[in-house]
Amino acid sequence: MGNTPNVARRSESSRQAIFAAARELCAERGYGRLTIEAIASRAGVSKKTIYRWWPSKGAVILELLDEAATMKAHHPDTGDLAADLRTQLTAVIGMLAPPQTSALAGVIAEALHDPALAHDLRERLIEPRIAEFKNRMRQAQRQGQLSPDADLDVALDLLYGPLYHRLAFHLGMPDPAYLDTLIAHALRSLSMTQ
Amino acid sequence: MGNTPNVARRSESSRQAIFAAARELCAERGYGRLTIEAIASRAGVSKKTIYRWWPSKGAVILELLDEAATMKAHHPDTGDLAADLRTQLTAVIGMLAPPQTSALAGVIAEALHDPALAHDLRERLIEPRIAEFKNRMRQAQRQGQLSPDADLDVALDLLYGPLYHRLAFHLGMPDPAYLDTLIAHALRSLSMTQ
C-alpha cells in the first residue's frame, strides 16, 4: 500500500497520451528541440509524472519505439521465407516512416553520447529483435528454405541494412517491387555455398 | 576590391581550426549540444567569422564531412572489383568511426527537420558519391567483372547498407574478414540472372 511510485499504478491513458505527444512533437520540431516540459504540456500531465516513469526524453522515445515494434513487427512463419520477410520488412518500413522517423534518428544520435541510453537501446530495442530474426531464419534452415551454412549475421546486414542506409541519406524507402528485389538478392546470396 | 565577404578570402588555417574544433566538440558532447559559440571559442575565431562562411552548425559539419570524404573515400580502379570495393569500404568505415560518428549521426537527424540542410546533404554529400560508385560499377560491367544486368541500386544498398545499419544500432563496424564476406555475398547475388 502506501504512496510508493509503482509501475503498476501507471495510468495507461496517461502513458499513451505521453507517447502520442512525444511522437507528434518529435515529428514537428525534431528530437533535438523536444523537451519533457513540452511533452507534459501537450499530454496534459505534470513533468513530475513523466520523470516518475522515465529518467529522460530518450527513455520516453525508446519505450515508445519498443512498444510500436512489439505491436507491429513480428516475424510470421507461414513456411514461405521470402513472403514472411516481405511482411516483416514492410512493417519495419512502416515504423521508420513519419512520425517515428525523427524519434528513431534522434535517439540513435543521442545514444552515441549517453551510455545508459545506448545500453537500453541495445538491450530493449535491438537485441531482442535480432534474436527474433535469427530464430525465424533458423526455422527456415530446419524447413530447408535456407542453406544450413547461411551466415545469419550477413542475412541481417543484407536484409535490414538497406532500410537504414536509405533512411539516413533520404533515398526513400523501398516500394513493394523493389523490396522483393532486395529480398531475392539477399536470399540468393545466402543460399550459395561460400 | 572593397570589403565584400568572399569565399576566396577564407583563411585556410582558420577553416581547418574551425573543422577541428567542430569535430572534437561533436565527439565530446554530441551534435545536439554543439554551438557555434563553442566552435568559435575553441578554434580561436569570432562567431562572426563562422557565420560569414556558414549559415548554421549543420552547414559546418556537412562541409567537414564532405572534405573528409573527398580526401579519403575515392573509388580506385585496379581492375579487381572486389579488392577495390574493399579499399573504398574500408575508407568509409574509417570515416564513420569517432570522432566523425557523432557529426554524421547529428547532421542526419537534423536534416529531417531542416529542408535546406537536407538539400545540401543530398546535393553535396550523397549524390556525388552515389554517382562515383555507379561509375565504378559500370566500369566493372564493361570489364566483364559484373553482370551487365546487375541492378546498381541494389548493389549500393547491399554494399553500403550494412555499415549504416551497424552504425545506427551499435553493432560494431565489419572487421576485414567480415567485410570480405559481405562483399562476396553482394557480388554473388548481383552476378546472377534474376
Side-chain angles (χ1 to χ4, degrees), chain B residues 48-115:
Chain B
K48 206 177 139 196
T49 298
I50 298 182
Y51 279 120
R52 197 183 300 146
W53 297 337
W54 297 281
S56 65
K57 70 174 182 180
V60 176
I61 296 291
L62 193 63
E63 188 167 324
L64 170 173
L65 293 169
D66 183 37
E67 183 166 287
T70 300
M71 286 169 60
K72 294 183 188 157
H74 283 292
H75 283 272
D77 183 1
T78 68
D80 178 341
L81 179 61
D84 289 352
L85 285 170
R86 184 197 308 132
T87 302
Q88 205 272 338
L89 283 160
T90 301
V92 174
I93 289 169
M95 285 190 50
L96 296 176
Q100 257 109 217
T101 321
S102 300
L104 182 66
V107 93
I108 286 169
E110 182 150 31
L112 294 170
H113 293 275
D114 180 336

Side-chain angles (χ1 to χ4, degrees), chain B residues 5 10 14 32 35 45 50 54 62 71 127 135 143 151 154 170 188:
Chain B
R10 288 185 185 186
S14 295
T35 61
V45 303
I50 298 182
W54 297 281
L62 193 63
M71 286 169 60
E127 284 171 10
N135 282 340
Q143 291 167 343
D151 182 326
V154 172
H170 298 248
R188 264 200 317 253

